[in-house]
Amino acid sequence: MRRLLVGLLLFLSIATTVVAQSGYYYQTHFTPIENKRDQINYSIQQDDFGRLYFANRQGLLQFDGTSWDLIETPGPTFSISLNDSIIYLAGTYGFGMLTTDGFGNLAFKNLGDSLSKLPSMTQLISYGEELVMTDGKSAFSYSPSSKKLEKIATALTVTQIGVFDAKLVAFNTDTTFLIKGQGVLPPRFVENGPWLQWSKSAGNQWIGANRKNELFQIVGGQLVPLKLDDEGYLDEARILSVTWMSDDLVAVGTLRGGVVFVDARERKLDQIVNFHTGLPDNETQTLFRDKDTGLWVAHPYGYTRVSPNIPFKSYNYYPGLDGTLYTSQHFDGRVFAGTNLGLFYLDQVKNFDEIVYYIKKNPDTQLTVADDRKEDKKDGDGLFSFLRFNKKDDKVEEATKEPVAEETPEDDKKKKGGLFSFLKKNKGEEDKEEEIKEPEAPKKAVVATAISKARSQIGGKKKTATAEPVMVRRVKKELQSITYVYKKIKGVEGRINQLVPINDDEMIAAGLAGVFIVKEDEAVQIYSEAVRRVFYDPAQNLILISTYRGGLLTVVNEAGKWKETTLLENVDDFIQFIFKDRTGKIWLCTSQKLYWAKIENNTLVEAGEVPIKNDYLDPVIGIDDANLGVVFMHAKGFFKLAGDGLEKFDWLGMSEPSRYISSAGHLLVSDGRFWHKMGPKTEANDAFTFLNLFDHIVSLDFEKDGDLWVVTADNNFYRIDHTKAFEANYNPFLKHIRSVNNQLLPIGTKLRVEQENSSLSFFYHQTEYSGILKIEYRYRLLGLNEQWSEWSPNNNTIQFSYLPSDKYELQVETRNSFGVVKPLESIFFTVVPPYWQRPWFYAAEFLFFAMLLFLSSRLTKSDRMVVLVLNRLLTFLTIIMIIEFIQTIVEANFETDSSPVLSFFLQVAVAFCLMPLESFMRSKLSGKGEKVDRMVQGHVSKLTRSIGKQSSRKKTAEEQS
């Protein structure tokens, strides 16, 4: 009973308990489109390209990081496995595989029908080169190479299969047994089953979970239970699955407690990811670790990817934080966060439980404190004995003759039910008896005392009898858990957008709520009006306050008290930013003027002002950079102090900043893609590169050890660990190629496209699921343009509306948020011209013209009139066609489509060049031209004379008549 109570109380108020103030893992949530969404998910797998596959009742759902595609199957899919780069799946239809055509499309191929009629397969796994599956009764093996399906002979029913230490094992509700593999199972392996799952780490470590909510490891070939210091949470959450995340970290999926991350080396809970820490639902259906060590969690609302490997963790999920975040500060060992509703700090809360128990005591024996502690020690040897406080806090009550049972069993149950008593399952008879026995102990003592008194009175005289022992009720405190919650500092009401440390104990909090001096968890207000900016000068121990209505207020510390002074009271302007350079000048930045002042011993020594060009009145900030000196900037440019004026300059290729903020004595400047730092310190910080993952940073705090605290515009709060390495792996690939009318083209390194279909689109994709790398693309098409395009995330789709006939090489490069450039495999393709511009057509034309020339030369030998005329016509036709052929070739090699005038002059130039050729061909092809002409003239003369004679005869006849 006591173990159950500890487990319930350790339920962590739904996981606000963490082992340390370490923050929560980064999470990314995904939801399929509505008509492809299913409430039940059975299995997850990933292919070589990084694409994910989810088995559910509607079939197989594919996700590539951007789009969801439903691959239709004959029925629900229950299990997925990857074998030799091929996705195999099993379901109510038996089992099958995914096939890919030349266009990159995936389709399901049913293997069960082609082999034999198979029943519904509930599980499918890879075992070496084979596939092993079960229908809940028997086991089957399939060889992809020989395409043979065999039934595995087993003496017992097989409801589940798994791989353990190169052995294929089978489970059912009663036992676990070996069905394939060498050797024997470890001792105690069978009696500790049945097993839910076994998982192997990269370091060849094994961990398993059984149906009794127990975790086991294999250590030295022996089965060893993984006992956690705080395993009560897992007892109540009910384990469903387990998988290794690294050699130390294990993820445990539960039915009603989310995902529990366990530090296997330290044997303790590392972190709990559930509804209160960002998971949409506490029910986990299946877990899967992808190639980038991210954990995919399937739940009723979709899928969540948890990233333990990403070196920043969230701090905005702790309970108690309210409002929109504006600033943060890690100060005095605590995390402070300023919001529009006040100032909050993250505090540790220890949760205790009062444990009631009873000890036996002889009425004739005085119970001493020493005896008390002995009983405590005897009873306190348990799982959480090391967490208990000093026994001075314990309450001791003694019952002298008739101790009163102050708590009934019903009361005791109510007390121990706890916040999550609804999660209890029905206990066995042994647990019920244990719950009844313990509170009944005082009643037995009362009955025994009453019987003793009755016997002494019946006898009429007192008899010497052995005194019955009495029960002493004890109440003691046990530390059950440590939780972290945000607590609001009293008295700070309103926005806090600036936190400035004064010393190791005190900090300034300023904003619309006023100005406060914060020490531990208390705040003292020193200015009640809204302020724009504050600046603390440790050399002079003074605070400069830029008021919201314009003007500057100076507050100095005298004898431990902050008092207003008249120093710099003549500044009547809206001060936007204040900083101090290495010469001791304090700069006061406004939209049009830059004031400066030197203060020594709280006395103004020197002052001046510098105008700044700022036509749009953008906010102006400044810094004393280690390399550039005193620098100012606004949205339209950078300005460097040069003598008594300012000089505009370009910095890191930027003529003006895309975004800029000030934080912790540094300026952050974005060029639209990467953040750059200005400030007095130029040493490298590995954590700084992670700022490129955030587009809109609201606030940044630099911790002394190198860690960064970041507040983003989407109200997230992160801590970046500078010591944790992060490898940004991603694998872009060519998804498909489309031409006119969205027609798919085969994917390959060599591609041929007709010129009339030369409108091409290349679609590249990358399976980056964390959502932080922000992959950009650029490209160039050799053969058309040698220049690279601009970097853009939209260049993953490359479109060409028209390409002339030629050979091309498409080169594509990608770049992530860290500036790492990765070239992709080049795509070579050829745009084929129309058939009349191809060599074979030119060859056919040449042969045709050669035949005409040969025919013309043969016809010149004939003396017949008809043949000679035909030869003359054929000669002219041949010359014209040859000239047009040559002219077509010239125009094909010289682009003239841009100007019709240029095309006309080109044709004239070709005509002049071909005149000698034309004369030569006419002389050769029409050698008997003069003869033809004389024959034609003779025939014409004869015809004319004949017509004349006929006319004369007709006229004579008319005259005679």
Side-chain angles (χ1 to χ4, degrees):
M1 178 179 181
R2 183 182 177 191
R3 183 188 64 82
L4 176 61
L5 180 61
V6 170
L8 287 172
L9 292 172
L10 197 61
F11 210 63
L12 316 170
S13 299
I14 302 196
T16 57
T17 298
V18 288
V19 177
Q21 185 184 334
S22 58
Y24 294 110
Y25 293 140
Y26 184 80
Q27 301 176 32
T28 314
H29 305 287
F30 302 91
T31 303
I33 59 179
E34 191 62 30
N35 62 346
K36 296 178 182 178
R37 177 176 178 268
D38 195 7
Q39 299 290 340
I40 304 296
N41 298 279
Y42 305 102
S43 178
I44 306 175
Q45 191 55 258
Q46 189 174 26
D47 65 12
D48 292 342
F49 289 104
R51 295 172 295 194
L52 288 164
Y53 301 86
F54 303 87
N56 57 34
R57 290 184 299 189
Q58 293 192 14
L60 189 67
L61 198 61
Q62 183 202 56
F63 183 51
D64 58 14
T66 303
S67 59
W68 295 87
D69 295 311
L70 182 64
I71 301 174
E72 295 184 358
T73 58
T77 300
F78 298 137
S79 186
I80 318 172
S81 182
L82 181 68
N83 188 289
D84 194 22
S85 302
I86 299 176
I87 293 290
Y88 293 88
L89 48 154
T92 56
Y93 43 80
F95 81 106
M97 61 183 288
L98 293 185
T99 59
T100 306
D101 58 18
F103 306 103
N105 296 319
L106 292 172
F108 171 75
K109 179 181 179 181
N110 198 330
L111 298 176
D113 289 342
S114 61
L115 296 170
S116 60
K117 189 63 178 178
L118 290 177
S120 174
M121 292 296 173
T122 58
Q123 189 183 5
L124 172 70
I125 64 173
S126 293
Y127 180 65
E129 297 180 354
E130 292 182 326
L131 292 169
V132 182
M133 63 200 83
T134 177
D135 60 355
K137 298 179 181 179
S138 304
F140 303 85
S141 66
Y142 173 75
S143 173
S145 58
S146 63
K147 299 182 180 180
K148 291 184 179 180
L149 179 71
E150 297 179 354
K151 185 177 181 180
I152 302 175
T154 58
L156 301 174
T157 301
V158 178
T159 59
Q160 187 178 350
I161 51 179
V163 177
F164 170 75
D165 196 19
K167 302 176 180 65
L168 182 64
V169 295
F171 316 125
N172 56 36
T173 55
D174 300 322
T175 185
T176 302
F177 53 96
L178 180 68
I179 56 177
K180 273 192 178 185
Q182 300 295 325
V184 296
L185 295 174
R188 301 177 57 205
F189 188 87
V190 176
E191 54 262 34
N192 284 286
W195 300 96
L196 291 169
Q197 188 179 0
W198 278 92
S199 176
K200 181 183 178 182
S201 71
N204 203 29
Q205 300 184 65
W206 287 89
I207 190 167
N210 62 16
R211 298 183 183 274
K212 304 172 188 176
N213 273 341
E214 296 173 330
L215 297 175
F216 286 84
Q217 287 181 282
I218 301 296
V219 180
Q222 301 295 319
L223 191 67
V224 178
L226 180 59
K227 292 293 184 181
L228 306 178
D229 292 339
D230 35 14
E231 61 184 0
Y233 187 90
L234 289 176
D235 290 340
E236 297 304 323
R238 187 181 170 187
I239 299 175
L240 293 181
S241 56
V242 60
T243 183
W244 281 101
M245 298 303 298
S246 64
D247 289 336
D248 298 328
L249 191 64
V250 177
V252 181
T254 69
L255 176 65
R256 45 183 174 243
V259 182
V260 179
F261 289 90
V262 176
D263 188 332
R265 180 171 298 180
E266 299 294 331
R267 294 177 172 266
K268 63 182 181 181
L269 297 187
D270 177 74
Q271 190 171 128
I272 298 174
V273 177
N274 60 10
F275 180 78
H276 288 266
T277 58
L279 198 65
D281 196 278
N282 281 343
E283 177 191 354
T284 66
Q285 296 170 349
T286 184
L287 303 182
F288 176 76
R289 193 194 75 161
D290 62 23
K291 297 179 180 179
D292 297 324
T293 64
L295 180 70
W296 286 83
V297 184
H299 48 73
Y301 288 90
Y303 312 96
T304 295
R305 186 180 188 270
V306 186
S307 306
N309 62 320
I310 293 180
F312 53 86
K313 297 181 180 179
S314 175
Y315 276 75
N316 54 287
Y317 284 115
Y318 288 103
L321 187 61
D322 194 13
T324 302
L325 287 162
Y326 278 89
T327 186
S328 69
Q329 184 74 37
H330 188 260
F331 176 74
D332 194 22
R334 292 181 177 181
V335 178
F336 289 84
T339 74
N340 63 327
L341 299 180
L343 183 61
F344 299 82
Y345 68 97
L346 192 59
D347 193 25
Q348 183 186 88
V349 178
K350 296 179 179 180
N351 301 317
F352 294 92
D353 178 52
E354 291 186 349
I355 303 298
V356 179
Y357 63 100
Y358 300 88
I359 61 173
K360 292 182 180 180
K361 174 185 175 295
N362 193 316
D364 300 330
T365 304
Q366 181 66 31
L367 187 64
T368 63
V369 176
D371 296 330
D372 226 14
R373 292 182 177 175
K374 289 179 181 179
E375 293 294 336
D376 284 343
K377 184 175 181 181
K378 185 185 300 182
D379 185 72
D381 293 336
L383 188 60
F384 298 95
S385 58
F386 71 100
L387 293 175
R388 294 197 179 105
F389 279 116
N390 194 305
K391 300 306 176 184
K392 293 179 181 180
D393 296 332
D394 295 348
K395 300 178 182 179
V396 181
E397 297 181 5
E398 293 190 16
T400 55
K401 293 183 179 180
E402 297 181 8
V404 180
E406 295 183 359
E407 297 184 2
T408 64
E410 289 77 14
D411 295 335
D412 189 50
K413 289 180 181 179
K414 290 179 181 179
K415 180 175 181 179
K416 299 177 183 179
L419 180 61
F420 299 98
S421 58
F422 67 91
L423 293 176
K424 292 181 181 179
K425 294 186 289 184
N426 294 329
K427 301 296 178 182
E429 295 298 327
E430 295 180 0
D431 291 336
K432 292 181 180 179
E433 291 176 5
E434 185 180 356
E435 293 178 3
I436 295 173
K437 286 179 181 178
E438 205 168 274
E440 283 188 353
K443 294 185 177 181
K444 292 182 178 180
V446 175
V447 173
T449 306
I451 294 174
S452 177
K453 286 184 178 180
R455 286 177 177 174
S456 62
Q457 293 175 359
I458 292 172
K461 52 183 177 181
K462 296 181 179 180
K463 297 182 180 180
T464 303
T466 303
E468 294 289 341
V470 296
M471 304 300 294
V472 178
R473 181 178 182 273
R474 302 274 323 276
V475 180
K476 60 183 176 182
K477 291 182 178 180
E478 277 193 355
L479 177 64
Q480 298 300 326
S481 62
I482 299 175
T483 65
Y484 288 90
V485 298
Y486 280 102
K487 294 182 179 179
K488 188 176 181 180
I489 293 183
K490 296 180 180 179
V492 182
E493 302 293 338
R495 183 200 297 174
I496 296 296
N497 51 22
Q498 192 178 1
L499 297 172
V500 181
I502 297 176
N503 49 47
D504 293 339
D505 300 324
E506 294 178 316
M507 176 178 63
I508 303 172
L512 298 184
V515 182
F516 300 84
I517 302 298
V518 179
K519 186 175 182 179
E520 295 182 351
D521 56 355
E522 296 181 352
V524 178
Q525 192 172 44
I526 62 173
Y527 185 70
S528 60
E529 298 295 329
V531 301
R532 295 179 181 272
R533 193 79 184 177
V534 297
F535 172 77
Y536 174 70
D537 186 2
Q540 304 297 324
N541 198 18
L542 62 82
I543 302 174
L544 298 180
I545 301 173
S546 172
T547 63
Y548 198 77
R549 296 183 179 180
L552 191 66
L553 182 67
T554 306
V555 180
V556 299
N557 192 302
E558 295 181 358
K561 294 183 179 181
W562 295 94
K563 297 181 180 180
E564 295 184 17
T565 68
T566 58
L567 190 65
L568 300 177
E569 63 179 354
N570 294 328
V571 178
D572 188 14
D573 207 340
F574 294 100
I575 308 298
Q576 300 168 343
F577 191 78
I578 308 173
F579 72 96
K580 187 176 182 179
D581 65 17
R582 69 191 77 178
T583 65
K585 289 182 180 180
I586 298 177
W587 289 89
L588 312 173
C589 303
T590 70
S591 296
Q592 293 181 319
K593 290 184 179 180
L594 306 172
Y595 302 95
W596 61 270
K598 273 192 175 183
I599 300 175
E600 295 179 0
N601 299 323
N602 293 332
T603 303
L604 180 61
V605 176
E606 191 178 0
E609 64 181 54
V610 178
I612 183 171
K613 183 176 175 57
N614 189 7
D615 296 335
Y616 294 92
L617 303 180
D618 294 306
V620 177
I621 61 176
I623 196 72
D624 188 357
D625 184 72
N627 300 319
L628 300 173
V630 179
V631 177
F632 302 91
M633 74 182 70
H634 54 66
K636 300 303 179 184
F638 303 91
F639 303 87
K640 184 165 51 177
L641 189 64
D644 296 333
L646 297 177
E647 177 185 332
K648 190 174 182 180
F649 69 101
D650 292 345
W651 185 58
L652 299 180
M654 292 182 287
S655 60
E656 58 186 42
S658 175
R659 293 184 299 275
Y660 56 98
I661 62 172
S662 167
S663 185
H666 296 79
L667 295 188
L668 298 178
V669 184
S670 173
D671 59 7
R673 186 67 175 93
F674 300 103
W675 286 97
H676 308 276
K677 181 176 64 172
M678 284 186 178
K681 298 179 180 180
T682 58
E683 66 272 9
N685 186 344
D686 294 336
F688 189 81
T689 58
F690 288 96
L691 297 181
N692 299 324
L693 306 179
F694 308 103
D695 287 329
H696 301 286
I697 298 177
V698 175
S699 172
L700 179 67
D701 176 32
F702 291 79
E703 203 171 327
K704 291 181 180 179
D705 62 359
D707 289 353
L708 302 179
W709 296 81
V710 182
V711 175
T712 62
D714 53 359
N715 214 37
N716 282 316
F717 184 23
Y718 302 104
R719 182 182 188 177
I720 303 177
D721 186 355
H722 76 289
T723 63
K724 191 171 183 179
F726 175 69
E727 185 176 358
N729 294 321
Y730 63 100
N731 183 28
F733 62 93
L734 179 62
K735 189 174 183 179
H736 53 250
I737 307 173
R738 294 184 182 272
S739 64
V740 179
N741 298 325
N742 216 23
Q743 179 184 0
L744 284 172
L745 298 179
I747 297 176
T749 56
K750 292 185 178 181
L751 180 67
R752 292 176 61 86
V753 182
E754 300 285 345
Q755 188 173 10
E756 56 266 26
N757 297 326
S758 63
S759 178
L760 299 178
S761 299
F762 298 82
F763 296 87
Y764 283 87
H765 192 69
Q766 48 79 27
T767 53
E768 200 285 302
Y769 301 105
S770 66
I772 64 175
L773 292 183
K774 302 172 186 175
I775 309 300
E776 292 183 321
Y777 298 79
R778 72 171 183 175
Y779 67 91
R780 65 178 178 180
L781 186 61
L782 299 181
L784 181 67
N785 191 350
E786 301 291 328
Q787 300 296 322
W788 286 97
S789 67
E790 296 293 330
W791 288 106
S792 172
N794 298 323
N795 281 342
N796 65 318
T797 300
I798 305 171
Q799 296 181 337
F800 302 101
S801 59
Y802 172 79
L803 290 174
S805 58
D806 203 346
K807 293 182 178 180
Y808 299 96
E809 178 185 355
L810 179 61
Q811 296 180 346
V812 181
E813 292 182 344
T814 64
R815 182 179 69 176
N816 62 19
S817 298
F818 301 101
V820 178
V821 177
K822 178 184 291 188
L824 305 184
E825 184 179 3
S826 296
I827 301 296
F828 297 90
F829 64 96
T830 302
V831 176
V832 182
Y835 70 90
W836 60 86
Q837 294 181 0
R838 300 181 192 178
W840 67 266
F841 188 79
Y842 292 151
E845 284 187 314
F846 176 79
L847 293 176
F848 178 71
F849 294 146
M851 183 184 66
L852 291 178
L853 292 174
F854 176 76
L855 183 61
S856 298
S857 63
R858 297 291 296 176
L859 291 176
T860 55
K861 299 178 180 181
S862 175
D863 293 333
R864 297 179 59 187
M865 178 64 183
V866 176
V867 174
L868 292 176
V869 173
L870 181 62
N871 175 51
R872 190 68 174 264
L873 294 175
L874 187 61
T875 299
F876 286 129
L877 178 63
T878 303
I879 293 173
I880 293 172
M881 292 184 66
I882 291 176
I883 293 174
E884 287 295 328
F885 173 68
I886 296 174
Q887 192 169 6
T888 301
I889 294 176
V890 172
E891 291 181 353
N893 289 274
F894 295 94
E895 295 291 337
T896 60
D897 296 337
S898 59
S899 174
V901 177
L902 180 62
S903 178
F904 170 75
F905 281 109
L906 181 64
Q907 292 176 5
V908 172
V910 173
F912 274 109
C913 292
L914 293 178
M915 286 182 64
L917 177 64
E918 180 185 3
S919 301
F920 174 77
M921 293 181 65
R922 289 182 63 181
S923 64
K924 292 297 182 183
L925 295 178
S926 55
K928 298 182 178 181
E930 296 179 356
K931 181 179 179 181
V932 173
D933 292 340
R934 287 194 300 270
M935 292 177 65
V936 171
Q937 290 177 1
H939 285 292
V940 172
S941 300
K942 290 180 181 180
L943 181 61
T944 303
R945 286 196 298 270
S946 175
I947 294 174
K949 289 179 180 180
Q950 291 180 0
S951 298
S952 301
R953 292 186 188 130
K954 185 176 181 181
K955 185 176 181 182
T956 303
E958 290 178 353
E959 290 177 352
Q960 292 176 358
S961 62

